[in-house]
Every structure is written in structure tokens, then in C-alpha cells.
Amino acid sequence: MRLVPMRFRGVTWRHNPREITFESDREVHELHAPFAGGAVQDTGRKNMLVKGEGELFGADCLQQFARLLSLFREGGSGVLAIDGVKPFHAVFESLKIVGEPKPDILTYRFVFREVRNESDGPPAAYTAGAGENLWDVSYRFGIVIDTLVALNPQVKRPDILTEGEVIRLC
């Protein structure tokens, strides 16, 4: 089986990085109310970090690194394609040489940060189902509860939504 080379914005790595890690976190807050206990609010996932380390091989390893550095300096987002992972939009956040370059080999580290498109976000509105409340909607779409309250002044009691009630999400 042959691995597909890593690609970003038209640049293909000659050799895949030796090590790649994917860091995915969620934004979670614990809310405390006096004499009422606490609640955990999940306000959605953070953008994923992709970190890695690898080597550039060959007499042109410094030129290979210069191409990556040029790509890094250009800035902006692009599609990051890594073998076995669905391609996604990302920005090139960090690029470093590790140690002293040796003849025909250069070790480097990198970080890409996922950029979610607006199309990845919530729809403009949501129709409440039976037994739902505004906290359910907040959790489902990863929107801070205070934002939902501000967007929906018609909701008098966030703890009780009427089935079929339309809730603005943005």
C-alpha cells in the first residue's frame, strides 16, 4: 500500500512527515449557581490543530524547506490533505527547523490550524422540538446561551420552548 503525500495549497511533500498528531478540543464551561449546584455547558468544538515532525531528504533539502517557508509566509487558508483524513481548510501556523541541518537531511516541525468555513456553521434558524429548551439548542449548535437569548427576545422562558417555535441562531 502506498501512502498519499501530504498536500497544502498546491505544494506536495516529497516524503510524508514521520509523526502527525491531531488535537481536537471542545469549549466546555462549568457554571455554578448559589444553592442550585452547577451545570456544564458545551459551547462547541475548537478548531483542530495538526502538528507534526519529519525530515526533508536529498541534496535539495534546504530548497524543499525554503518552499515550505515561502508557503508559510504567504499566509491565508487552503485545503490540507493528509493520507487517511478527509481534506479540510487550514492555515499554516508554525514551521521550525529542529537541530542542525545535516548534508542531505533537515528535520522540521509544523503546525496547521483548521479553519471551519461559514458553511460548516449552524443554519440561520432552528425549529424547536417537543420538550426542548434554549440550553438544548445551545448545546446542539455550539452557540453560547447568552447569544441565543440576545438573538431571541421573543423567548420569555429559556427553560421552556414551544414545539414548532423558531429560534434564530445567527
Side-chain angles (χ1 to χ4, degrees):
M1 180 173 95
R2 182 174 183 272
L3 294 177
V4 177
M6 188 165 96
R7 295 181 318 281
F8 181 69
R9 292 183 46 196
V11 174
T12 300
W13 273 241
R14 195 179 297 168
H15 304 281
N16 278 333
R18 171 177 28 82
E19 176 183 308
I20 298 179
T21 61
F22 297 86
E23 295 181 13
S24 299
D25 294 313
R26 298 191 71 80
E27 190 72 39
V28 177
H29 302 279
E30 187 172 5
L31 309 170
H32 296 277
F35 310 108
V40 174
Q41 181 181 29
D42 180 349
T43 57
R45 74 176 182 88
K46 296 178 182 178
N47 290 340
M48 177 174 52
L49 288 179
V50 178
K51 298 180 179 182
E53 184 171 310
E55 289 79 28
L56 301 172
F57 299 101
D60 67 339
C61 64
L62 288 174
Q63 288 85 358
Q64 292 176 56
F65 184 81
R67 179 63 185 121
L68 294 179
L69 184 59
S70 175
L71 183 64
F72 169 77
R73 287 180 173 163
E74 286 173 13
S77 68
V79 174
L80 178 62
I82 300 171
D83 191 51
V85 177
K86 181 181 175 185
F88 57 93
H89 282 84
V91 293
F92 204 161
E93 184 172 305
S94 173
L95 179 64
K96 300 175 184 176
I97 292 177
V98 179
E100 287 286 322
K102 299 175 183 117
D104 300 338
I105 187 168
L106 182 145
T107 302
Y108 68 101
R109 286 190 189 129
F110 64 88
V111 176
F112 285 92
R113 183 177 301 270
E114 175 187 28
V115 177
R116 289 185 279 164
N117 295 329
E118 288 182 22
S119 62
D120 294 340
Y126 173 73
T127 303
E132 286 189 305
N133 60 48
L134 217 49
W135 282 272
D136 295 326
V137 177
S138 170
Y139 176 78
R140 178 181 206 149
F141 293 102
I143 300 171
V144 177
I145 190 71
D146 294 338
T147 301
L148 285 178
V149 169
L151 287 170
N152 294 281
Q154 79 283 3
V155 175
K156 301 302 178 208
R157 292 194 53 193
D159 59 329
I160 301 173
L161 295 176
T162 306
E163 184 175 2
E165 188 172 0
V166 177
I167 304 299
R168 287 188 52 211
L169 303 177
C170 54

